[in-house]
Amino acid sequence: MYDVKKIRDDFPILGRTVYGKPLVYFDNAATTQKPRMVVDSIANEYYSVNANVHRGVHFLSQQATDLHEEAREKVRAFINAKKTDEIIFTRGTTEAINLLVDSFGNEFMSEGDEVIISAMEHHSNIVPWQILAAKRGISIRVIPINDTGELLLDEYEKLFTERTKIVSITQVSNVLGTINPVKQIIAIAHSHNIPVLIDGAQSVPHMKVDVQDMDADFFAFSGHKVYGPTGIGVLYGKENWLDRLPPYQGGGEMIQSVSFEKTIFEKLPFKFEAGTPDYIGTNGLAKAIDYISTLGMENIATYEHELTQYAMQRMKEIPGMRIYGEATDKGSVISFLVGNIHHLDMGTLLDRLGIAVRTGHHCAQPLMIRLGVEGLVRASFGLYNTKEEVDTLIAGILRISTMFN
Ligand code: PLP
């Protein structure tokens, strides 16, 4: 039984008010709220274990190291990677993508080589490739979308050339909610012997992810979007790829030995983890994974799907409502505009009613251009949201629409 009332009790922030109104938090695609057990684990580790990892022979250091490495194993099991060595801790999805682009780009790409991305990418899967393009003269090819917000797979197939070196695609769009058929996308790339990076920032919080089943070569996600702490994220990579990639940053932790003549790098995964890692964050992430695993990813997905269906249906009752993203396979994100009400006005007035939504370009300006809009309002749901909250949103939008009319 999915008991959302009980679940909400685990998130103290959901009990607060905003402008005297009960908070309705619908900005989960930006970041999620944290269950008490995650926040407690962070405080407890600082209070009772804190010591730098991998360095000390002393008790605390070993205990902190154990927690940190247990977290790596927890992440491995969570996304079903084959080995813990394939789990690299980063600051988040953005850093994970930058790491891969820099390292892969330096090793395997030269002037004239191509990366395939899509029209619905977040800036964090566009700008790093553009930086590489400026440095090494690579070019970026873009899979177009149709008007319901789905990738055009026929066009995708046509983008492969002998210069294609990698494909980098989001699993779920943070604007359209589209769930891309990544297994198929990866299979097509592999038929050309091309590896694929999947941006899992918006998929991992909402569905069961199995990197071996989808056969991703690289996969990135952020802890803070999956009910864990900020500042921690993951890059998964198949061992045979990671072994061939050069380090991203240099420093402590990532070396076996250093002399002024020569440095020997550590083995995986430490080769990619220069400096003191966020070991408190990794343990916090592990607790978040425990939390959602206890609820069950399938249960979360079913619950959120039903909630989103309900919200979509209620949204369509609103006169002048335009929803952006109506893919058959859609996650718990609804982006919209009503009549000619500016997205910022809608967001600001909803906020006054205690409803937190996101407004603007959602770090996807090329997608805004494709959709012919300057910005959108986005309501995105998490495992603790309810139909009553959706009703509050609908009532709020109706009230604001009436004001503008
Ligand atoms: N990719 C997608 C699809 C996202 O939605 C986001 C964040 O909104 C990111 C990447 C970047 O995540 P972060 O800011 O946690 O690095």
Side-chain angles (χ1 to χ4, degrees), residues 29-31 91-97 120-125 170-175 199-203 221-225 232 358 362-363 378:
T31 199
R91 283 194 300 121
T93 306
T94 303
E95 192 181 49
I97 296 175
M120 65 172 83
E121 296 311 312
H122 187 278
H123 292 163
S124 61
N125 193 27
T170 193
Q171 186 168 11
V172 176
S173 161
N174 65 312
V175 176
D199 172 351
Q202 298 294 345
S203 59
F221 72 95
S222 298
H224 71 98
K225 291 190 198 284
I232 193 70
R358 186 72 178 266
H362 308 285
C363 298
R378 180 185 71 188

Side-chain angles (χ1 to χ4, degrees), residues 195-212:
V196 182
L197 164 63
I198 298 294
D199 172 351
Q202 298 294 345
S203 59
V204 170
H206 305 288
M207 62 182 71
K208 177 93 198 89
V209 162
D210 183 330
V211 290
Q212 289 191 77

Side-chain angles (χ1 to χ4, degrees), residues 11-32:
F11 294 81
I13 202 169
L14 298 179
R16 70 162 290 176
T17 54
V18 173
Y19 304 115
K21 307 269 186 334
L23 169 69
V24 173
Y25 186 77
F26 280 159
D27 196 15
N28 293 284
T31 199
T32 51

Side-chain angles (χ1 to χ4, degrees), residues 260-277:
F260 284 115
E261 288 70 41
K262 184 176 167 62
T263 289
I264 299 172
F265 301 129
E266 255 294 11
K267 58 184 175 42
L268 290 175
F270 308 111
K271 180 173 82 172
F272 293 106
E273 293 178 350
T276 298

Side-chain angles (χ1 to χ4, degrees), residues 128-335:
W129 296 111
Q130 288 175 331
I131 292 172
L132 184 69
K135 263 199 316 210
R136 297 184 78 93
I138 68 145
S139 60
I140 300 168
R141 312 203 74 197
V142 182
I143 313 169
I145 56 170
N146 63 21
D147 290 340
T148 51
E150 290 158 326
L151 293 178
L152 296 174
L153 293 187
D154 291 348
E155 298 299 319
Y156 167 53
E157 293 236 41
K158 291 184 208 153
L159 293 178
F160 285 89
T161 71
E162 71 283 359
R163 299 307 301 266
T164 308
K165 286 293 183 310
I166 188 165
V167 174
S168 189
I169 297 287
T170 193
Q171 186 168 11
V172 176
S173 161
N174 65 312
V175 176
L176 306 164
T178 311
I179 302 172
N180 289 319
V182 285
K183 207 169 164 174
Q184 193 184 350
I185 288 169
I186 292 168
I188 291 168
H190 286 176
S191 72
H192 295 271
N193 286 321
I194 299 302
V196 182
L197 164 63
I198 298 294
D199 172 351
Q202 298 294 345
S203 59
V204 170
H206 305 288
M207 62 182 71
K208 177 93 198 89
V209 162
D210 183 330
V211 290
Q212 289 191 77
D213 180 61
M214 74 172 74
D215 205 15
D217 302 281
F218 307 102
F219 187 96
F221 72 95
S222 298
H224 71 98
K225 291 190 198 284
V226 64
Y227 309 96
T230 53
I232 193 70
V234 171
L235 175 69
Y236 156 82
K238 283 181 183 166
E239 188 180 38
N240 65 348
W241 272 114
L242 294 179
D243 269 338
R244 284 184 281 157
L245 293 177
Y248 170 53
Q249 294 176 329
E253 298 264 341
M254 52 77 74
I255 52 87
Q256 258 172 28
S257 67
V258 179
S259 70
F260 284 115
E261 288 70 41
K262 184 176 167 62
T263 289
I264 299 172
F265 301 129
E266 255 294 11
K267 58 184 175 42
L268 290 175
F270 308 111
K271 180 173 82 172
F272 293 106
E273 293 178 350
T276 298
D278 184 356
Y279 52 86
I280 305 279
T282 56
N283 185 31
L285 174 59
K287 296 297 178 291
I289 290 174
D290 282 342
Y291 184 83
I292 54 176
S293 302
T294 304
L295 292 179
M297 287 316 293
E298 278 86 1
N299 297 333
I300 293 170
T302 307
Y303 178 79
E304 289 182 354
H305 182 69
E306 201 189 307
L307 187 66
T308 309
Q309 296 281 97
Y310 176 72
M312 284 290 277
Q313 176 213 319
R314 297 256 17 230
M315 292 283 238
K316 287 178 179 174
E317 292 167 10
I318 296 172
M321 171 62 67
R322 296 193 302 288
I323 291 172
Y324 294 80
E326 297 215 50
T328 319
D329 220 359
K330 182 175 162 81
S332 51
V333 170
I334 304 180
S335 292

Side-chain angles (χ1 to χ4, degrees), residues 346-370:
M346 179 64 84
T348 308
L349 292 168
L350 284 173
D351 178 51
R352 288 280 157 177
L353 301 172
I355 305 165
V357 292
R358 186 72 178 266
T359 62
H361 55 62
H362 308 285
C363 298
Q365 283 181 318
L367 178 59
M368 297 299 118
I369 294 168
R370 165 64 180 82

